[in-house]
Amino acid sequence: VKVYTVGREYFHAEVRKAPTVDGRVNRSKDGKEIRYPVILSEAEKIISALVVRAFRQTVCGFDILRTNGRALVCDVNGWSFVKGNQKYYDDFVALGRKFFMSKCGRLSIGRRLTAFEDDFPISAVRNEEVNGGEDRSDFGERLRCVIMIVRHGDRKPKEKLKFKTSHPAILKYFESVEDPEEQILIKSPDAMAALLQTVQGIVQDEKTGEHELEDTAGVRIPKEELEYMDMLLSFFLMHDRFTGVSRKVQLKPLKWCRPKGDAP
């Protein structure tokens, strides 16, 4: 559940399908992740207010994981906005205006502003409000400041590929791992280049039947897994180098078994 707050009493929440279900992210035709509005439970609203207070972040976005009837906060992103929801921005403008006016010690600035008024005349601010109740129209009016809240432009969505494999060439990465639950993160240019050669060898062996990789004689992988390996290979070959590019591969062990003949 993606939660977005504006203060301790306003919460907007959306749900999405967990990518861990099948390794795929549901996206719309324009490439954005598909999400659905959802109402938070009373317990989740209390959690949201506590997050705002604990991080001192009035405008805040964070993730809640719903599991076994409980709600767990698993990621706090800080300054974050809802994407593509006009009602949220209308509410945000009203609450933001109220917040700033309260900090300035004022209740009104003459008339209500909306998110669609582009040409708000300064003359709409009455002199007696600007000057603490005293009419000083002979001094005219001055623009004291301009406060803007601007969200950055849409960026390219994260591209993730998740799949399961038991290919010996990949499992070899865990031979030197002491903790059986430890994850392996491959990110350095040299490590990425080495993994690229391994994946190229897997794909080539499977397509040609010539098992040149060590300890892979007679190993066959399912057609679907081969398709994932092809996509992983395309991911590696997106650029002509690994330096200066934000890419990483994470290997996570799911289960272990004892080789035949090993002592218990």
Side-chain angles (χ1 to χ4, degrees):
V1 182
K2 298 283 187 178
V3 182
Y4 303 87
T5 71
V6 184
R8 301 184 189 180
E9 299 180 356
Y10 181 89
F11 318 109
H12 176 91
E14 298 175 343
V15 294
R16 65 169 186 169
K17 179 183 71 66
T20 53
V21 174
D22 55 9
R24 294 184 174 87
V25 176
N26 290 339
R27 300 190 183 278
S28 60
K29 60 183 180 181
D30 56 355
K32 295 184 178 180
E33 185 181 52
I34 298 176
R35 299 177 180 177
Y36 307 94
V38 66
I39 297 176
L40 295 179
S41 67
E42 290 303 316
E44 290 169 340
K45 290 178 182 178
I46 294 174
I47 291 174
S48 301
L50 290 174
V51 169
V52 171
R53 186 177 70 178
F55 287 87
R56 299 180 181 179
Q57 189 82 30
T58 300
V59 180
C60 187
F62 56 92
D63 299 344
I64 285 180
L65 178 64
R66 287 175 170 173
T67 176
N68 297 326
R70 301 177 60 192
L72 305 173
V73 176
C74 56
D75 183 21
V76 178
N77 302 311
W79 186 264
S80 186
F81 299 93
V82 180
K83 303 172 182 65
N85 188 300
Q86 188 59 51
K87 182 181 184 305
Y88 165 84
Y89 284 101
D90 290 342
D91 294 340
F92 183 93
V93 167
L95 292 170
R97 176 178 178 272
K98 181 180 178 181
F99 174 82
F100 285 117
M101 293 306 297
S102 66
K103 292 297 183 181
C104 294
R106 309 215 180 266
L107 299 177
S108 172
I109 55 174
R111 68 187 180 97
R112 177 179 176 81
L113 295 178
T114 70
F116 304 102
E117 291 186 80
D118 297 324
D119 301 318
F120 176 68
I122 299 177
S123 58
V125 182
R126 297 197 298 272
N127 278 307
E128 57 267 30
E129 292 177 313
V130 174
N131 297 303
E134 180 183 355
D135 187 0
R136 302 175 62 186
S137 55
D138 54 321
F139 284 89
E141 296 166 347
R142 296 180 180 177
L143 178 63
R144 301 298 181 89
C145 68
V146 176
I147 299 175
M148 300 179 64
I149 300 175
V150 183
R151 182 186 179 274
H152 65 75
D154 287 337
R155 58 171 174 77
K156 187 177 180 180
K158 294 179 181 177
E159 295 180 329
K160 296 182 180 180
L161 174 66
K162 295 183 179 181
F163 65 95
K164 298 178 182 179
T165 181
S166 57
H167 196 282
I170 301 298
L171 298 184
K172 286 187 66 175
Y173 277 87
F174 293 95
E175 290 182 353
S176 59
V177 174
E178 295 182 359
D179 184 355
E181 296 184 358
E182 181 179 346
Q183 300 184 26
I184 297 176
L185 182 63
I186 301 174
K187 196 171 182 179
S188 69
D190 291 341
M192 292 286 280
L195 183 57
L196 167 60
Q197 291 183 346
T198 299
V199 175
Q200 284 178 324
I202 293 174
V203 173
Q204 182 177 353
D205 284 358
E206 193 64 28
K207 291 184 176 180
T208 63
E210 300 176 0
H211 295 276
E212 298 182 359
L213 289 175
E214 185 180 354
D215 299 329
T216 61
V219 175
R220 302 289 295 181
I221 61 176
K223 180 180 178 182
E224 183 179 5
E225 185 178 329
L226 178 60
E227 293 175 353
Y228 279 123
M229 288 289 183
D230 265 330
M231 285 189 280
L232 181 59
L233 189 57
S234 299
F235 160 79
F236 281 125
L237 300 176
M238 285 174 58
H239 304 277
D240 58 353
R241 66 187 188 282
F242 289 113
T243 56
V245 181
S246 180
R247 283 177 290 177
K248 65 180 181 181
V249 175
Q250 192 172 13
L251 304 179
K252 180 179 179 181
L254 297 180
K255 62 180 180 180
W256 291 81
C257 63
R258 190 180 304 279
K260 294 181 179 180
D262 280 13

